[in-house]
Amino acid sequence: QAQLVESGGGLVQAGGSLRLSCAASGRTFSTNAMGWFRQAPGKEREFVAAIGWSGGTTYYTDSVKGRFTVSRDNAKNTVYLQMNNLRPEDTAVYYCAADRVTLSIGLVTKVSDYDDWGQGTQVTVSS
């Protein structure tokens, strides 16, 4: 059974950094683009960043450009999200997920485009 497990969340002051990890098991995700999403209380889940299956392409939502970096290590079946200069509005539960389409050329941003969701990791940024 395929499973994604996020880790690395926590409480940090504004301006601080965190590195999230998304470890995959059950099958390889090396042929899937991977996405990071977040959901704040009372809000819908929103796209944060995505990385192509080979790691050669990335895409970010505007609010995190220049602050967050997504990367992957296919040998370890793991995806990362480095978050710098965190802001209180980044507070949310962060999820990783796999693109439903393997070996896709482009990157997608809709929740419905992704599958195999992890359980999420809480990120709290204090002001």
Side-chain angles (χ1 to χ4, degrees):
Q1 180 178 356
Q3 187 176 16
L4 297 173
V5 178
E6 302 93 338
S7 62
L11 173 63
V12 63
Q13 289 187 331
S17 298
L18 285 173
R19 188 193 194 203
L20 305 185
S21 298
C22 171
S25 63
R27 70 170 178 90
T28 179
F29 287 84
S30 62
T31 56
N32 295 85
M34 299 294 291
W36 284 97
F37 290 75
R38 64 187 180 188
Q39 188 166 17
K43 294 188 177 181
E44 293 186 352
R45 192 168 299 188
E46 64 173 0
F47 171 80
V48 175
I51 185 166
W53 61 270
S54 68
T57 56
T58 58
Y59 184 73
Y60 302 90
T61 193
D62 286 345
S63 63
V64 308
K65 284 180 182 177
R67 301 188 298 123
F68 290 12
T69 302
V70 59
S71 61
R72 67 189 298 162
D73 185 339
N74 284 341
K76 295 182 179 180
N77 224 14
T78 302
V79 181
Y80 305 97
L81 185 67
Q82 177 67 44
M83 306 186 296
N84 298 328
N85 192 21
L86 283 161
R87 305 168 180 170
E89 53 265 37
D90 295 318
T91 295
V93 177
Y94 283 71
Y95 300 89
C96 67
D99 186 349
R100 294 179 182 272
V101 178
T102 58
L103 300 174
S104 58
I105 297 175
L107 297 176
V108 290
T109 63
K110 296 180 180 178
V111 170
S112 58
D113 292 322
Y114 288 82
D115 206 348
D116 294 316
W117 292 87
Q119 85 292 344
T121 185
Q122 176 70 47
V123 171
T124 303
V125 184
S126 63
S127 58

